[in-house]
């Protein structure tokens, strides 16, 4: 038995914040505003996982009104969500993602992101897709004011 899930997230890019994507600190002059570390790649993956098991969304599990999640590391949130996935009897087959940002270039960090995320997800590096698109200079992403990510996942019921 298989389940698919889709996730999406967007964060404003602001000065004075670190840019964290896929659990990796990316050198950049702007970072993602947010209650947690603002890791929109992980947040999109979390919503894809929760969606696949119909277990709500990231805002319901980790509300930004809760001081427990202030500056929370999204890798820790992802690990908690994987507990939910496993409690429901599923394992991850693969995850695919698209990061939409005008800058910075993420290619040099794909390996580091896989090194962080794949052990948490319980998948091989070859089972995590990471792709990047610009917004061709259009809209809030194109002007560099925001970064967004789309994610899909396939889960398989454990025997
Ligand atoms: Mg978010």
């Amino acid at each position: 038995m298989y389940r698919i899930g889709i996730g999406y997230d967007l964060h404003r890019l602001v000065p004075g914040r670190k840019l964290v994507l896929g659990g990796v600190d990316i050198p950049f002059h702007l970072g993602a505003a947010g209650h947690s570390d603002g890791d929109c790649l992980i947040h999109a993956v979390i919503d894809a996982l929760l969606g696949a098991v119909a277990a709500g969304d990231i805002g319901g599990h980790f509300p930004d009104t809760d001081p427990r999640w202030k500056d929370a590391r999204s890798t820790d949130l992802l690990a908690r969500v994987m507990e939910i996935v496993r409690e429901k009897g599923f394992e991850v087959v693969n995850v695919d993602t698209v990061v939409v940002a005008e800058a910075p270039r993420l290619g040099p960090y794909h390996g580091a992101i896989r090194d962080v995320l794949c052990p948490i997800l319980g998948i091989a590096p070859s089972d995590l897709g990471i792709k990047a698109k610009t917004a061709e200079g259009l809209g809030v992403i194109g002007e560099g004011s925001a970064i967004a990510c789309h994610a899909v996942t396939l889960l398989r019921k454990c025997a």
Side-chain angles (χ1 to χ4, degrees):
M1 183 187 175
Y2 291 89
R3 305 286 293 256
I4 64 169
I6 183 171
Y8 170 78
D9 194 28
L10 178 147
H11 280 257
R12 284 184 297 119
L13 288 171
V14 295
R17 291 271 300 182
K18 280 199 303 186
L19 181 61
V20 186
L21 280 177
V24 174
D25 289 1
I26 311 286
F28 195 51
H29 66 288
L30 302 173
H35 187 65
S36 67
D37 60 9
D39 190 327
C40 74
L41 194 161
I42 290 184
H43 295 178
V45 170
I46 283 175
D47 265 356
L49 292 166
L50 290 172
V53 294
D57 62 22
I58 189 170
H61 286 273
F62 311 107
D64 62 10
T65 50
D66 189 331
R68 271 185 301 169
W69 315 122
K70 176 99 176 77
D71 297 324
R73 290 162 51 95
S74 293
T75 46
D76 293 337
L77 307 186
L78 179 61
R80 283 170 171 265
V81 167
M82 281 305 301
E83 287 176 15
I84 295 170
V85 168
R86 293 188 174 109
E87 279 166 12
K88 288 184 175 287
F90 286 90
E91 61 187 3
V92 179
V93 176
N94 75 308
V95 172
D96 192 16
T97 64
V98 183
V99 179
V100 190
E102 218 58 21
R105 294 220 165 268
L106 299 177
Y109 305 100
H110 288 187
I113 291 171
R114 286 192 173 92
D115 286 348
V116 171
L117 296 190
C118 292
I120 302 172
L121 293 165
I123 57 178
S126 56
D127 297 326
L128 174 58
I130 306 168
K131 305 184 299 299
K133 304 289 280 187
T134 72
E136 297 275 338
L138 299 172
V140 290
I141 294 174
E143 73 189 21
S145 301
I147 185 168
C149 186
H150 304 263
V152 294
T153 188
L154 182 68
L155 306 185
R156 175 173 48 217
K157 193 91 174 177
C158 300

